[in-house]
């Protein structure tokens, strides 16, 4: 299944989103996640997944649309982030491994 719910997102779009998404506030609320596995369900192009990957031990990014997940994988690779795992999920199943 594919959806058009996540448009192509450029790096400039990500930077512009900082004003209203307030990632520093969100990440501060999570506390220390250095040694944790964190899931970003509905990750889209990876706005939060990439920010989390710079702080967390491992990030599992799921989405129902494979295209933004491919874009996320490319961004993670370009940024040298090896702790990002992308998972193509079903609309009603997050597709996380048990115990993960």
């Amino acid at each position: 299944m594919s959806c058009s719910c996540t448009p192509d997102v450029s790096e400039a779009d990500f930077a512009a989103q900082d004003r209203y998404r307030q990632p520093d506030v969100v990440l501060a609320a999570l506390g220390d996640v250095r040694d944790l596995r964190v899931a970003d369900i509905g990750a889209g192009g990876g706005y939060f997944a990439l920010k989390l990957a710079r702080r967390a031990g491992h990030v599992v990014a799921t989405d129902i649309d494979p295209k933004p997940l491919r874009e996320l994988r490319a961004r993670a690779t370009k940024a040298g982030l090896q702790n990002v795992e992308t998972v193509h999920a079903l609309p009603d199943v997050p597709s996380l491994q048990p115990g993960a």
Side-chain angles (χ1 to χ4, degrees):
M1 173 178 216
S2 181
C3 94
S4 60
C5 52
T6 307
D8 293 338
V9 180
S10 71
E11 299 304 320
D13 292 332
F14 274 5
Q17 291 179 33
D18 286 350
R19 286 190 294 279
Y20 71 91
R21 289 194 181 205
Q22 301 180 5
D24 294 335
V25 174
V26 173
L27 295 171
L30 293 175
D32 184 5
V33 293
R34 274 182 296 210
D35 299 323
L36 299 179
R37 290 176 55 89
V38 179
D40 183 354
I41 299 171
Y47 176 83
F48 272 109
L50 294 173
K51 292 178 183 304
L52 284 165
R54 291 180 175 89
R55 296 179 179 220
H58 188 83
V59 175
V60 179
T62 73
D63 203 277
I64 62 172
D65 189 347
K67 183 178 179 188
L69 288 176
R70 286 190 299 272
E71 294 167 359
L72 168 53
R73 167 66 27 226
R75 283 187 181 98
T77 299
K78 182 178 177 182
L81 298 169
Q82 299 177 3
N83 61 337
V84 178
E85 174 185 353
T86 56
V87 176
H88 182 216
L90 299 174
D92 56 347
V93 180
S95 301
L96 298 173
Q97 296 296 319

